[in-house]
């Protein structure tokens, strides 16, 4: 049984968001779900050009966890883009702080 997630500082999405290829109905597509902490790590490192250490301090997690989140989040995004899957940004407020 996995451990509970530690509380992390992440932005909370107001609404669930889904991105999909044009021309294919959503109900016919496979879906890839990106956790909010994966998205936040990618946003901080890739969009805001923060180092993994800075991102870890902002999110109040270890640098190793940031590295794992980046790896899993990027893999999910590429899976969705390369295999024509819908990408869902999972909106979970449980265990996270609004930042």
């Amino acid at each position: 049984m996995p451990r509970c997630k530690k509380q992390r500082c992440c932005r909370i999405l107001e609404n669930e968001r889904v991105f999909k290829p044009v021309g294919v109905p959503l109900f016919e597509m496979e879906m890839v779900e990106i956790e909010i902490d994966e998205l936040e790590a990618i946003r901080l490192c890739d969009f805001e050009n923060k180092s993994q250490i800075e991102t870890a301090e902002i999110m109040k997690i270890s640098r190793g966890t940031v590295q794992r989140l980046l790896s899993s989040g990027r893999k999910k995004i590429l899976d969705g883009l390369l295999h024509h899957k819908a990408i869902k940004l999972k909106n979970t407020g449980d265990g996270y702080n609004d930042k």
Side-chain angles (χ1 to χ4, degrees):
M1 185 168 159
R3 291 181 359 183
C4 294
K5 282 188 178 181
K6 291 183 179 180
Q7 210 169 38
R8 300 172 182 182
C9 292
C10 298
R11 292 176 187 260
I12 301 299
L13 298 174
E14 292 181 15
N15 298 309
E16 191 171 86
R17 298 179 190 175
V18 177
F19 300 89
K20 69 171 200 68
V22 175
V24 182
L26 185 60
F27 68 87
E28 292 179 5
M29 303 184 76
E30 285 186 59
M31 186 149 335
V32 177
E33 290 188 353
I34 299 177
E35 300 286 337
I36 196 73
D37 53 354
E38 293 170 328
L39 180 65
E40 184 72 357
I42 292 169
R43 183 187 71 81
L44 289 168
C45 287
D46 297 344
F47 186 73
E48 294 194 7
N49 296 315
K50 305 275 187 204
S51 71
Q52 289 184 12
I53 294 171
E54 291 171 317
T55 298
E57 290 171 356
I58 292 168
M59 292 180 69
K60 298 184 168 89
I61 56 177
S62 72
R63 193 213 43 86
T65 300
V66 170
Q67 188 173 15
R68 182 187 55 78
L69 292 172
L70 289 171
S71 177
S72 64
R74 289 171 178 159
K75 184 175 180 178
K76 290 176 183 180
I77 291 169
L78 284 173
D79 180 36
L81 294 174
L82 294 174
H83 300 110
H84 305 285
K85 296 178 182 179
I87 299 171
K88 178 180 177 180
L89 305 181
K90 197 170 175 183
N91 186 14
T92 57
D94 299 337
Y96 299 97
N97 287 334
D98 191 8
K99 179 87 177 157

